[in-house]
Structures are given as C-alpha cells and as structure tokens.
Coordinates of all heavy atoms in Angstrom, one line a residue:
M1 N 130.2 147.7 77.9 CA 130.6 147.3 79.3 C 129.5 146.3 79.8 O 128.3 146.5 79.6 CB 130.6 148.5 80.1 CG 131.0 148.2 81.6 SD 130.7 149.6 82.6 CE 132.1 149.8 83.4
K2 N 130.0 145.2 80.4 CA 129.1 144.2 80.9 C 129.5 143.9 82.3 O 130.6 143.7 82.7 CB 129.3 142.9 80.0 CG 128.3 141.9 80.3 CD 128.5 140.7 79.3 CE 127.5 139.7 79.5 NZ 127.7 138.6 78.5
V3 N 128.4 144.0 83.2 CA 128.6 143.8 84.6 C 127.7 142.6 85.1 O 126.5 142.7 84.8 CB 128.3 145.0 85.4 CG1 128.5 144.8 86.9 CG2 129.2 146.2 85.0
N4 N 128.3 141.6 85.7 CA 127.5 140.5 86.3 C 127.5 140.6 87.8 O 128.6 140.7 88.3 CB 128.0 139.2 85.8 CG 127.8 138.9 84.3 OD1 126.8 139.4 83.8 ND2 128.7 138.2 83.7
I5 N 126.4 140.5 88.4 CA 126.4 140.5 89.8 C 125.6 139.2 90.3 O 124.5 138.9 89.8 CB 125.6 141.7 90.4 CG1 126.3 143.0 90.0 CG2 125.5 141.6 91.9 CD1 125.5 144.2 90.4
E6 N 126.3 138.4 91.1 CA 125.7 137.2 91.6 C 125.4 137.4 93.1 O 126.3 137.9 93.9 CB 126.7 136.0 91.5 CG 126.8 135.6 90.0 CD 127.6 134.3 89.9 OE1 127.6 133.5 90.8 OE2 128.2 134.2 88.8
I7 N 124.2 137.1 93.5 CA 123.8 137.3 94.9 C 123.4 135.9 95.4 O 122.6 135.2 94.8 CB 122.6 138.2 95.0 CG1 123.0 139.6 94.5 CG2 122.1 138.3 96.5 CD1 121.8 140.6 94.4
D8 N 124.1 135.5 96.5 CA 123.9 134.2 97.1 C 123.0 134.4 98.3 O 123.5 134.8 99.4 CB 125.2 133.5 97.4 CG 125.0 132.1 97.9 OD1 123.9 131.5 97.6 OD2 125.9 131.6 98.5
C9 N 121.7 134.1 98.2 CA 120.8 134.2 99.4 C 119.7 133.3 99.2 O 119.4 132.8 98.1 CB 120.4 135.7 99.6 SG 119.3 136.2 98.3
T10 N 119.0 133.1 100.3 CA 117.8 132.2 100.3 C 116.6 133.0 99.8 O 116.6 134.2 99.8 CB 117.5 131.6 101.7 OG1 117.2 132.7 102.5 CG2 118.7 130.9 102.2
P11 N 115.6 132.3 99.4 CA 114.4 133.0 98.9 C 113.8 133.9 100.1 O 113.3 135.0 99.8 CB 113.4 131.9 98.5 CG 114.3 130.8 98.1 CD 115.5 130.9 99.0
L12 N 113.9 133.4 101.3 CA 113.4 134.2 102.4 C 114.2 135.5 102.6 O 113.6 136.5 102.8 CB 113.4 133.3 103.7 CG 113.0 134.1 105.0 CD1 111.6 134.5 104.9 CD2 113.2 133.2 106.2
E13 N 115.5 135.4 102.5 CA 116.3 136.5 102.6 C 116.1 137.5 101.5 O 116.0 138.7 101.7 CB 117.8 136.1 102.6 CG 118.2 135.4 103.8 CD 119.7 134.8 103.7 OE1 120.1 134.6 102.5 OE2 120.2 134.5 104.7
A14 N 115.8 137.0 100.2 CA 115.5 137.9 99.1 C 114.2 138.6 99.3 O 114.1 139.8 99.1 CB 115.5 137.1 97.8
R15 N 113.2 137.9 99.8 CA 111.9 138.6 100.1 C 112.0 139.6 101.2 O 111.5 140.7 101.1 CB 110.9 137.5 100.5 CG 110.3 136.7 99.4 CD 109.1 135.9 99.8 NE 109.4 134.9 100.8 CZ 109.7 133.7 100.6 NH1 109.8 133.2 99.4 NH2 109.9 132.9 101.7
Q16 N 112.8 139.3 102.2 CA 113.0 140.3 103.3 C 113.8 141.5 102.7 O 113.5 142.7 103.1 CB 113.8 139.7 104.4 CG 112.9 138.7 105.2 CD 113.8 137.9 106.3 OE1 115.0 138.0 106.3 NE2 113.1 137.3 107.2
F17 N 114.8 141.3 101.9 CA 115.5 142.4 101.3 C 114.7 143.3 100.5 O 114.8 144.6 100.6 CB 116.7 141.9 100.5 CG 117.5 142.9 99.8 CD1 118.5 143.6 100.6 CD2 117.4 143.2 98.5 CE1 119.2 144.6 100.0 CE2 118.1 144.2 97.9 CZ 119.0 144.9 98.6
F18 N 113.8 142.7 99.7 CA 112.9 143.6 98.8 C 111.7 144.1 99.6 O 110.9 144.8 99.0 CB 112.5 142.8 97.6 CG 113.6 142.6 96.6 CD1 114.2 141.4 96.4 CD2 114.1 143.7 95.9 CE1 115.2 141.3 95.4 CE2 115.2 143.6 95.0 CZ 115.7 142.3 94.8
G19 N 111.5 143.7 100.8 CA 110.4 144.2 101.6 C 109.1 143.5 101.3 O 108.0 144.0 101.6
L20 N 109.1 142.3 100.7 CA 107.9 141.5 100.4 C 107.4 140.9 101.7 O 108.2 140.6 102.6 CB 108.2 140.5 99.4 CG 108.6 141.0 98.0 CD1 109.0 139.9 97.1 CD2 107.5 141.9 97.4
P21 N 106.1 140.7 101.8 CA 105.6 140.1 103.0 C 105.9 138.6 103.2 O 106.1 137.9 102.2 CB 104.0 140.3 102.9 CG 103.8 140.3 101.4 CD 105.1 141.0 100.8
D22 N 106.0 138.2 104.4 CA 106.2 136.8 104.7 C 104.9 136.0 104.6 O 103.9 136.3 105.4 CB 106.8 136.6 106.1 CG 107.1 135.2 106.5 OD1 107.3 134.4 105.5 OD2 107.2 134.9 107.7
V23 N 104.7 135.2 103.6 CA 103.5 134.5 103.4 C 103.5 133.0 103.9 O 102.5 132.3 103.7 CB 103.2 134.4 101.8 CG1 102.9 135.8 101.3 CG2 104.3 133.8 101.1
M24 N 104.5 132.6 104.6 CA 104.6 131.3 105.2 C 103.4 131.0 106.1 O 102.8 129.9 106.0 CB 105.9 131.1 105.9 CG 107.1 130.9 104.9 SD 106.9 129.5 103.9 CE 107.2 128.2 105.1
P25 N 103.0 131.9 107.0 CA 101.9 131.5 107.9 C 100.6 131.3 107.1 O 99.8 130.4 107.4 CB 101.7 132.7 108.8 CG 103.0 133.4 108.8 CD 103.6 133.1 107.5
M26 N 100.4 132.1 106.0 CA 99.2 131.9 105.2 C 99.3 130.6 104.4 O 98.3 129.9 104.3 CB 99.0 133.1 104.2 CG 97.8 133.0 103.4 SD 97.6 134.4 102.2 CE 99.0 134.1 101.2
Q27 N 100.4 130.3 103.9 CA 100.6 129.1 103.1 C 100.4 127.9 104.1 O 99.7 126.9 103.7 CB 102.0 129.0 102.5 CG 102.2 129.9 101.4 CD 103.6 129.9 100.8 OE1 104.6 129.5 101.6 NE2 103.8 130.3 99.6
N28 N 100.9 127.9 105.3 CA 100.7 126.8 106.2 C 99.2 126.7 106.6 O 98.7 125.5 106.7 CB 101.5 127.0 107.5 CG 103.0 126.9 107.2 OD1 103.4 126.2 106.3 ND2 103.8 127.5 108.1
A29 N 98.5 127.7 106.8 CA 97.1 127.7 107.1 C 96.3 127.1 106.0 O 95.4 126.2 106.2 CB 96.6 129.1 107.4
V30 N 96.6 127.5 104.7 CA 95.9 127.0 103.6 C 96.2 125.5 103.4 O 95.3 124.7 103.1 CB 96.3 127.8 102.3 CG1 95.8 127.1 101.0 CG2 95.7 129.1 102.4
M31 N 97.4 125.1 103.6 CA 97.8 123.7 103.4 C 97.1 122.8 104.5 O 96.7 121.7 104.3 CB 99.3 123.5 103.5 CG 100.0 124.1 102.2 SD 99.4 123.4 100.7 CE 99.9 121.7 100.8
D32 N 97.0 123.3 105.7 CA 96.4 122.6 106.8 C 94.9 122.4 106.5 O 94.4 121.3 106.7 CB 96.6 123.3 108.2 CG 98.0 123.3 108.7 OD1 98.7 122.3 108.2 OD2 98.3 124.1 109.5
K33 N 94.3 123.5 106.0 CA 92.8 123.3 105.7 C 92.6 122.4 104.5 O 91.7 121.6 104.6 CB 92.3 124.7 105.4 CG 90.8 124.7 105.1 CD 90.2 126.1 105.1 CE 88.8 126.0 104.7 NZ 87.9 126.2 105.8
L34 N 93.5 122.4 103.5 CA 93.4 121.5 102.4 C 93.6 120.1 102.9 O 92.8 119.2 102.4 CB 94.5 121.9 101.4 CG 94.5 121.0 100.1 CD1 93.2 121.1 99.3 CD2 95.6 121.4 99.2
Q35 N 94.5 119.8 103.7 CA 94.7 118.5 104.3 C 93.6 118.0 105.1 O 93.2 116.9 104.9 CB 96.0 118.5 105.1 CG 96.3 117.1 105.6 CD 97.6 117.1 106.5 OE1 98.2 118.1 106.7 NE2 98.0 115.9 106.9
Q36 N 92.9 118.9 105.9 CA 91.8 118.5 106.6 C 90.6 118.1 105.7 O 89.9 117.1 105.9 CB 91.3 119.6 107.5 CG 92.2 119.8 108.7 CD 91.9 121.1 109.5 OE1 90.9 121.8 109.1 NE2 92.6 121.4 110.6
Q37 N 90.4 118.9 104.6 CA 89.3 118.6 103.7 C 89.6 117.3 102.9 O 88.7 116.5 102.7 CB 89.2 119.7 102.7 CG 88.6 121.0 103.2 CD 88.5 122.1 102.2 OE1 89.2 122.0 101.2 NE2 87.7 123.1 102.5
M38 N 90.9 117.0 102.6 CA 91.2 115.8 101.9 C 91.0 114.6 102.8 O 90.4 113.6 102.4 CB 92.6 115.8 101.4 CG 92.8 116.8 100.2 SD 94.5 116.8 99.7 CE 94.7 115.2 99.0
M39 N 91.4 114.7 104.0 CA 91.2 113.6 105.0 C 89.7 113.3 105.3 O 89.3 112.2 105.4 CB 92.0 113.9 106.2 CG 93.5 113.9 106.1 SD 94.2 112.5 105.2 CE 94.0 111.3 106.6
S40 N 88.9 114.4 105.3 CA 87.5 114.2 105.6 C 86.8 113.6 104.4 O 85.8 112.9 104.6 CB 86.8 115.5 106.0 OG 86.8 116.4 104.9
N41 N 87.3 113.8 103.2 CA 86.7 113.3 102.0 C 87.3 112.0 101.4 O 86.9 111.5 100.4 CB 86.6 114.3 100.9 CG 85.7 115.5 101.2 OD1 84.7 115.3 101.9 ND2 86.1 116.7 100.8
I42 N 88.3 111.5 102.1 CA 89.1 110.4 101.6 C 88.2 109.1 101.5 O 88.4 108.3 100.6 CB 90.3 110.1 102.4 CG1 91.3 109.1 101.7 CG2 90.0 109.4 103.7 CD1 92.3 109.9 100.9
D43 N 87.2 108.9 102.4 CA 86.4 107.8 102.4 C 85.4 107.8 101.2 O 84.9 106.8 100.7 CB 85.6 107.7 103.7 CG 86.4 107.4 104.9 OD1 87.5 106.7 104.7 OD2 86.1 107.7 106.0
K44 N 85.1 109.0 100.7 CA 84.2 109.1 99.6 C 84.8 108.7 98.3 O 84.1 108.4 97.3 CB 83.7 110.6 99.5 CG 82.8 111.0 100.6 CD 82.4 112.4 100.4 CE 81.6 112.9 101.7 NZ 81.3 114.3 101.6
V45 N 86.1 108.6 98.2 CA 86.7 108.2 96.9 C 87.4 106.9 97.0 O 88.1 106.5 96.1 CB 87.8 109.3 96.5 CG1 87.2 110.6 96.2 CG2 88.9 109.5 97.6
S46 N 87.0 106.1 98.0 CA 87.5 104.7 98.0 C 86.8 103.9 96.9 O 85.6 104.2 96.5 CB 87.3 104.1 99.4 OG 85.9 103.9 99.6
P47 N 87.4 102.9 96.4 CA 86.7 102.1 95.3 C 85.4 101.5 95.7 O 84.4 101.5 94.9 CB 87.7 101.0 95.0 CG 89.1 101.5 95.4 CD 88.8 102.4 96.6
E48 N 85.3 101.1 97.0 CA 84.0 100.5 97.4 C 82.9 101.6 97.5 O 81.8 101.3 97.0 CB 84.2 99.9 98.8 CG 85.1 98.8 98.9 CD 86.6 99.2 99.1 OE1 86.9 100.4 99.4 OE2 87.5 98.3 98.8
S49 N 83.2 102.8 98.0 CA 82.2 103.8 98.0 C 81.8 104.3 96.6 O 80.7 104.6 96.4 CB 82.6 104.9 98.9 OG 83.7 105.6 98.4
L50 N 82.8 104.4 95.7 CA 82.5 104.8 94.4 C 81.5 103.8 93.7 O 80.5 104.1 93.0 CB 83.7 104.9 93.5 CG 84.6 106.2 93.8 CD1 85.9 106.2 93.0 CD2 83.8 107.5 93.5
M51 N 81.9 102.5 93.8 CA 81.0 101.5 93.2 C 79.6 101.5 93.9 O 78.6 101.3 93.2 CB 81.6 100.1 93.4 CG 82.9 99.9 92.6 SD 82.6 100.1 90.8 CE 81.9 98.5 90.5
Q52 N 79.6 101.7 95.2 CA 78.3 101.7 95.9 C 77.5 102.9 95.3 O 76.2 102.8 95.1 CB 78.5 101.9 97.4 CG 77.2 101.8 98.2 CD 76.5 100.5 98.1 OE1 77.1 99.5 97.9 NE2 75.2 100.6 98.3
S53 N 78.1 104.1 95.2 CA 77.3 105.2 94.7 C 76.9 105.0 93.3 O 75.8 105.5 92.9 CB 78.2 106.5 94.8 OG 79.3 106.5 94.0
W54 N 77.7 104.4 92.4 CA 77.3 104.2 91.1 C 76.1 103.2 91.0 O 75.2 103.4 90.2 CB 78.5 103.6 90.2 CG 79.6 104.6 90.0 CD1 79.5 106.0 90.2 CD2 80.9 104.3 89.6 NE1 80.7 106.5 89.9 CE2 81.6 105.5 89.5 CE3 81.5 103.2 89.2 CZ2 82.9 105.6 89.1 CZ3 82.9 103.2 88.8 CH2 83.5 104.4 88.8
F55 N 76.2 102.1 91.8 CA 75.2 101.1 91.6 C 73.9 101.5 92.4 O 72.8 101.0 92.0 CB 75.6 99.8 92.2 CG 76.6 99.1 91.3 CD1 77.8 98.6 91.8 CD2 76.4 99.0 89.9 CE1 78.7 98.0 90.9 CE2 77.3 98.3 89.1 CZ 78.5 97.9 89.6
T56 N 73.9 102.4 93.3 CA 72.7 102.9 93.9 C 72.0 103.9 93.1 O 70.9 104.2 93.3 CB 72.9 103.4 95.3 OG1 73.9 104.5 95.3 CG2 73.4 102.3 96.3
F57 N 72.8 104.5 92.2 CA 72.2 105.6 91.3 C 71.1 104.9 90.4 O 70.1 105.5 90.2 CB 73.3 106.3 90.5 CG 72.8 107.3 89.6 CD1 72.3 108.5 90.1 CD2 72.7 107.1 88.2 CE1 71.9 109.5 89.2 CE2 72.3 108.0 87.3 CZ 71.8 109.3 87.8
D58 N 71.5 103.8 89.8 CA 70.6 103.1 88.9 C 70.6 101.6 89.3 O 71.6 101.0 89.1 CB 71.0 103.3 87.4 CG 70.1 102.6 86.4 OD1 69.0 102.2 86.9 OD2 70.4 102.6 85.2
P59 N 69.4 101.1 89.8 CA 69.4 99.7 90.3 C 69.8 98.7 89.2 O 70.3 97.6 89.5 CB 68.0 99.5 90.8 CG 67.4 100.9 90.9 CD 68.2 101.8 90.0
K60 N 69.5 99.0 87.9 CA 69.7 98.0 86.9 C 71.1 98.2 86.2 O 71.4 97.5 85.3 CB 68.6 98.2 85.8 CG 67.2 97.8 86.3 CD 66.2 97.9 85.2 CE 64.9 97.4 85.7 NZ 63.9 97.3 84.7
I61 N 71.9 99.0 86.8 CA 73.2 99.2 86.2 C 74.1 98.0 86.2 O 74.9 97.7 85.3 CB 73.9 100.4 86.7 CG1 75.0 100.9 85.8 CG2 74.5 100.2 88.1 CD1 75.5 102.3 86.0
A62 N 74.0 97.2 87.3 CA 74.7 95.9 87.4 C 74.4 95.0 86.2 O 75.2 94.4 85.6 CB 74.5 95.3 88.7
E63 N 73.1 94.9 86.0 CA 72.6 94.1 84.8 C 73.2 94.6 83.5 O 73.6 93.8 82.6 CB 71.1 94.0 84.8 CG 70.5 93.3 86.0 CD 69.0 93.4 86.0 OE1 68.4 93.7 84.9 OE2 68.4 93.2 87.0
R64 N 73.2 95.9 83.4 CA 73.7 96.5 82.1 C 75.2 96.3 81.9 O 75.6 96.0 80.8 CB 73.4 98.0 82.1 CG 71.9 98.3 82.0 CD 71.6 99.8 82.0 NE 70.2 100.0 82.0 CZ 69.6 101.1 82.4 NH1 70.3 102.1 82.8 NH2 68.3 101.2 82.3
F65 N 75.9 96.4 83.1 CA 77.3 96.0 83.0 C 77.5 94.6 82.6 O 78.4 94.3 81.7 CB 78.0 96.3 84.3 CG 78.6 97.7 84.5 CD1 78.1 98.5 85.5 CD2 79.5 98.2 83.6 CE1 78.6 99.7 85.7 CE2 80.0 99.5 83.8 CZ 79.5 100.3 84.8
Q66 N 76.8 93.7 83.2 CA 76.9 92.3 82.8 C 76.5 92.0 81.4 O 77.2 91.3 80.7 CB 76.0 91.5 83.7 CG 76.1 90.0 83.6 CD 75.2 89.2 84.5 OE1 74.4 89.8 85.3 NE2 75.4 87.9 84.5
D67 N 75.4 92.6 80.9 CA 75.1 92.5 79.5 C 76.2 93.0 78.6 O 76.5 92.4 77.5 CB 73.8 93.2 79.2 CG 72.6 92.5 79.9 OD1 72.7 91.3 80.3 OD2 71.5 93.2 80.0
M68 N 76.8 94.1 79.0 CA 77.8 94.7 78.1 C 79.0 93.8 78.0 O 79.5 93.6 76.9 CB 78.2 96.1 78.7 CG 79.3 96.8 77.9 SD 79.9 98.3 78.7 CE 80.6 97.8 80.2
F69 N 79.4 93.2 79.2 CA 80.5 92.3 79.1 C 80.2 91.0 78.4 O 81.1 90.5 77.7 CB 81.0 92.0 80.6 CG 81.7 93.1 81.2 CD1 81.3 93.6 82.5 CD2 82.8 93.8 80.6 CE1 81.9 94.6 83.1 CE2 83.4 94.8 81.3 CZ 83.0 95.2 82.5
V70 N 79.0 90.5 78.5 CA 78.6 89.3 77.7 C 78.7 89.7 76.2 O 79.2 88.9 75.4 CB 77.2 88.8 78.2 CG1 76.7 87.8 77.2 CG2 77.3 88.3 79.6
T71 N 78.2 90.8 75.9 CA 78.2 91.2 74.5 C 79.6 91.4 73.9 O 79.9 90.9 72.9 CB 77.4 92.6 74.3 OG1 76.1 92.4 74.8 CG2 77.3 92.9 72.8
M72 N 80.4 92.0 74.8 CA 81.8 92.2 74.3 C 82.5 90.8 74.2 O 83.3 90.6 73.3 CB 82.6 93.1 75.3 CG 82.1 94.5 75.2 SD 82.8 95.6 76.4 CE 84.5 95.2 76.6
A73 N 82.3 89.9 75.2 CA 82.9 88.6 75.1 C 82.3 87.8 73.9 O 83.1 87.1 73.3 CB 82.6 87.8 76.4
G74 N 81.1 88.0 73.6 CA 80.5 87.4 72.4 C 81.1 87.8 71.1 O 81.4 87.0 70.2
L75 N 81.3 89.1 71.0 CA 82.0 89.7 69.8 C 83.4 89.1 69.7 O 83.9 88.8 68.6 CB 82.0 91.2 69.9 CG 80.6 91.9 69.7 CD1 80.8 93.4 69.9 CD2 80.0 91.6 68.4
G76 N 84.1 89.1 70.8 CA 85.5 88.6 70.8 C 85.5 87.1 70.5 O 86.4 86.7 69.7
G77 N 84.5 86.4 71.0 CA 84.5 84.9 70.8 C 84.2 84.6 69.3 O 84.7 83.7 68.7
S78 N 83.3 85.4 68.7 CA 83.0 85.1 67.3 C 84.1 85.4 66.4 O 84.3 84.8 65.4 CB 81.7 85.9 66.9 OG 82.0 87.3 66.9
R79 N 84.9 86.4 66.7 CA 86.0 86.8 65.9 C 87.1 85.7 66.0 O 87.7 85.3 65.0 CB 86.6 88.1 66.3 CG 85.8 89.3 65.9 CD 86.5 90.6 66.3 NE 85.6 91.7 66.1 CZ 85.6 92.8 66.8 NH1 86.4 92.9 67.8 NH2 84.7 93.8 66.5
S80 N 87.3 85.2 67.2 CA 88.4 84.2 67.3 C 87.9 82.9 66.7 O 88.8 82.2 66.1 CB 88.7 84.0 68.8 OG 87.6 83.5 69.5
S81 N 86.6 82.6 66.7 CA 86.2 81.3 66.0 C 86.2 81.5 64.5 O 86.4 80.5 63.8 CB 84.7 81.0 66.5 OG 83.9 82.0 66.0
D82 N 86.1 82.7 64.0 CA 86.2 83.0 62.6 C 87.6 82.8 62.1 O 87.9 82.3 61.0 CB 85.7 84.4 62.2 CG 84.2 84.5 62.3 OD1 83.5 83.5 62.4 OD2 83.8 85.7 62.4
K83 N 88.6 83.1 62.9 CA 90.0 83.0 62.6 C 90.4 81.5 62.6 O 91.3 81.1 61.8 CB 90.9 83.7 63.6 CG 90.7 85.2 63.5 CD 91.6 85.9 64.5 CE 91.4 87.4 64.5 NZ 92.2 88.1 65.5
K84 N 89.8 80.7 63.4 CA 90.1 79.3 63.5 C 89.7 78.5 62.2 O 90.3 77.5 61.8 CB 89.5 78.6 64.7 CG 90.2 79.1 66.0 CD 89.5 78.4 67.2 CE 90.1 79.0 68.5 NZ 89.4 78.4 69.6
K85 N 88.6 79.0 61.5 CA 88.1 78.3 60.4 C 88.9 78.5 59.2 O 89.7 79.0 58.8 CB 86.6 78.8 60.1 CG 85.7 78.3 61.2 CD 84.3 78.8 60.8 CE 83.4 78.3 61.9 NZ 82.0 78.7 61.7

C-alpha cells in the first residue's frame, strides 16, 4: 500500500504548524549588522586604498614592480626577436 500526501503551504506556515520558532527578526538583525559592517569597510577595499596600503607597506615595492615588468617585457621581447630570425 502506498499513500502520497501533498501539503501546499508556505515555509512560514510549515514552521508554525510544527511549532518551530520564528527566526525572521533574528535574521533581519543579523543582516542589518552585516550590511552596516560592509558599508563601513567598503572604502578599505577600493582599488585606490588597496594600492595605497600595498605601496606604503614597502617603499621600494613600486621599483620592484617596475623591474619585474621590465624583466618580463625583456623576456618576451627576446623570444619574439628569436622567432623573427
């Protein structure tokens, strides 16, 4: 014997039927606090502030980046000149 029962109700109605607590106020409070924290920290993750924090950490890092790009360009340039020959 096989019996299928379909219940058409919302999640809120199901929680109330089973006697589960209403967690919407707690969820709203947590989401509000999370939003406040994100908005207060949004300036810290802007590209300008990230670059500023990276370059103030080590004053010579800009030179190191430049040297790295020159070296990479030099490697790429030598390969392309080898292919032309």
Side-chain angles (χ1 to χ4, degrees):
M1 177 192 232
K2 188 176 188 180
V3 177
N4 290 331
I5 299 175
E6 290 186 28
I7 300 173
D8 186 22
C9 68
T10 65
L12 177 62
E13 292 170 340
R15 283 193 298 269
Q16 289 173 345
F17 177 77
F18 287 111
L20 298 173
D22 183 20
V23 294
M24 286 297 288
M26 181 181 64
Q27 287 176 337
N28 290 335
V30 169
M31 291 304 292
D32 289 340
K33 183 166 176 105
L34 180 63
Q35 183 177 5
Q36 289 172 356
Q37 287 178 345
M38 288 179 68
M39 295 305 288
S40 68
N41 291 328
I42 196 94
D43 293 333
K44 293 179 183 176
V45 294
S46 69
E48 295 84 13
S49 64
L50 285 174
M51 292 298 285
Q52 183 66 28
S53 67
W54 291 346
F55 286 132
T56 56
F57 180 73
D58 184 5
K60 294 187 179 185
I61 199 161
E63 294 174 19
R64 291 182 185 156
F65 271 122
Q66 186 177 6
D67 292 342
M68 179 182 67
F69 288 126
V70 167
T71 303
M72 288 171 45
L75 291 175
S78 64
R79 288 184 189 149
S80 62
S81 64
D82 290 342
K83 290 179 184 178
K84 291 179 184 177
K85 291 182 180 179

